[in-house]
Amino acid sequence: MVSSLSSRERALGAYFGLAIGDALGATTEFLTPREIVQQYGRHQSIIGGGWLRLKAGEVTDDTQMSLALGDAIIQERGVKAGAVASAFSDWMRSKPVDIGHTVRRGIVRYRSSGTTAVPFSEHDAGNGSCMRALPVALAYSRASTQQLCDANRTQSHVTHHNPHADAGTETVLQMVIAAMNGDKIEALQRQAAQLVADYPVFEFGRKRVENPSGWIVQTLQVVFQALFGEESFEAVLVDVVNRGGDADTTGAIAGMVAGAFYGPQAIPERWLEAMNPKILSRCQSQTEALLDLAEAGVEGPSPALGLDGGTDHQLIRPDRYR
Ligand code: MN
Ligand code: MN
């Protein structure tokens, strides 16, 4: 790691890392580690394929929803619930290659009711609001933690309204910001430890997790094990995608944190070359615009629209949900 990197370079590393992790992991999504070994040996090249039959260098909903969210934030100069829901709805209309069940349900609900927050559900602890949240970290990288968390909840609750999804995502966003600021790995470890202290279900030190589902808890257990167990951007990503399961999403989330931590120069050249250059260029211009917004002064998030929505702007007391 090179501590002289600027936060702008590290932010670009985060966005490239997200897209590359998504593209790399799409090949092994929903395979078991044993199936991966049989078909690919150690999977470490961006070759496309997988259950989506992707072209090499293409990305899935993780990166696409991030770009949709980022555009909405730039246009509105902050996270505005209506603009975010509308951007997600437009994205769904574009017939994306994949879309999660909870995401689809939230967007359908917005279309039929106009509400921009789904009701609280203990079952909505999927990773779908975390995988797309990077633009919030960039736009609110100079804002208070409270404003960062409020902005995240506004975008998250369009489809996912669950304290584990909120807390896990906010930990990831704070890790990205810490890494952008050049913090050491111990600082990121403390953030993960705080999440576990608040919500013990996230405990990740005991057992190696393989074949993670779309549950935010298993997703982050895999991400944290790789991030704190490996010592390069490449090793972190190769670790998570070879565990199979929701591999494009563990790849995307590990990629954003490791990309900020190790910086863009740590990304293997062969992975950058394999990517669709249009996607990388969108990631780059959006990174610039989101950081410009952060510097100019991002606006606070808007409340959710609708009768039974109501974004929870209070930090939820963790002990209520133990
Ligand atoms: Mn995906
Ligand atoms: Mn996925």
Side-chain angles (χ1 to χ4, degrees):
M1 129 207 44
V2 184
S3 55
S4 63
L5 285 172
S6 69
S7 59
R8 271 195 183 250
E9 287 172 296
R10 291 179 183 280
L12 181 64
Y15 226 134
F16 279 5
L18 158 72
I20 284 171
D22 183 9
L24 184 70
T27 309
T28 54
E29 191 182 22
F30 302 138
L31 297 182
T32 64
R34 181 196 291 258
E35 289 167 335
I36 295 169
V37 170
Q38 285 165 353
Q39 293 180 36
Y40 303 102
R42 187 98 171 133
H43 174 56
Q44 47 192 350
S45 301
I46 295 177
I47 54 174
W51 74 281
L52 295 171
R53 298 169 190 268
L54 275 195
K55 282 191 202 151
E58 295 299 330
V59 292
T60 75
D61 54 353
D62 309 64
T63 308
Q64 291 167 355
M65 289 199 86
S66 301
L67 289 167
L69 174 60
D71 282 345
I73 294 173
I74 292 161
Q75 203 165 353
E76 300 294 321
R77 305 193 64 76
V79 173
K80 307 295 171 183
V84 170
S86 162
F88 290 163
S89 176
D90 289 349
W91 166 75
M92 189 164 103
R93 198 166 289 116
S94 76
K95 301 206 184 340
V97 286
D98 62 338
I99 181 167
H101 162 76
T102 309
V103 168
R104 178 188 295 278
R105 198 181 50 190
I107 296 171
V108 167
R109 188 175 190 281
Y110 161 71
R111 285 181 182 174
S112 60
S113 69
T115 57
T116 58
V118 293
F120 166 82
S121 165
E122 61 179 314
H123 305 293
D124 285 359
N127 56 25
S129 63
C130 185
M131 70 182 193
R132 68 182 185 227
L134 176 63
V136 178
L138 304 188
Y140 291 85
S141 53
R142 291 164 176 241
S144 66
T145 302
Q146 179 73 57
Q147 203 173 47
L148 172 80
C149 293
D150 285 348
N152 178 58
R153 283 166 202 207
T154 300
Q155 76 82 16
S156 274
H157 293 188
V158 174
T159 54
H160 295 63
H161 191 161
N162 177 281
H164 289 157
D166 288 344
T169 302
E170 286 152 24
T171 299
V172 168
L173 298 181
Q174 288 177 264
M175 282 182 172
V176 168
I177 293 170
M180 277 169 61
N181 292 333
D183 283 2
K184 296 204 162 60
I185 200 71
E186 290 78 15
L188 278 60
Q189 282 168 327
R190 281 195 295 274
Q191 290 170 320
Q194 185 62 55
L195 176 65
V196 173
D198 290 343
Y199 298 95
V201 68
F202 283 97
E203 162 61 46
F204 59 92
R206 287 196 200 103
K207 187 169 169 286
R208 182 181 160 87
V209 176
E210 294 197 322
N211 217 14
S213 67
W215 185 28
I216 188 69
V217 171
Q218 286 187 0
T219 304
L220 293 191
Q221 285 169 331
V222 163
V223 168
F224 294 160
Q225 286 176 0
L227 187 68
F228 302 134
E230 302 293 340
E231 293 185 344
S232 71
F233 176 84
E234 179 174 2
V236 170
L237 258 64
V238 169
D239 180 340
V240 299
V241 301
N242 280 280
R243 298 189 195 210
D246 197 356
D248 63 327
T249 304
T250 54
I253 297 170
M256 59 174 113
V257 181
F261 186 75
Y262 291 105
Q265 86 299 329
I267 301 175
E269 200 61 42
R270 71 179 196 283
W271 286 352
L272 288 167
E273 282 168 5
M275 290 296 291
N276 176 340
K278 286 191 188 134
I279 294 166
L280 292 184
S281 116
R282 280 201 68 198
C283 294
Q284 179 156 19
S285 52
Q286 202 173 85
T287 299
E288 296 297 326
L290 288 165
L291 293 178
D292 288 347
L293 178 61
E295 279 171 25
V298 67
E299 290 181 15
S302 71
L305 306 170
L307 296 172
D308 52 351
T311 299
D312 186 356
H313 282 273
Q314 300 298 313
L315 281 175
I316 295 169
R317 294 288 311 154
D319 48 340
R320 276 169 53 197
Y321 295 98
R322 283 213 176 120

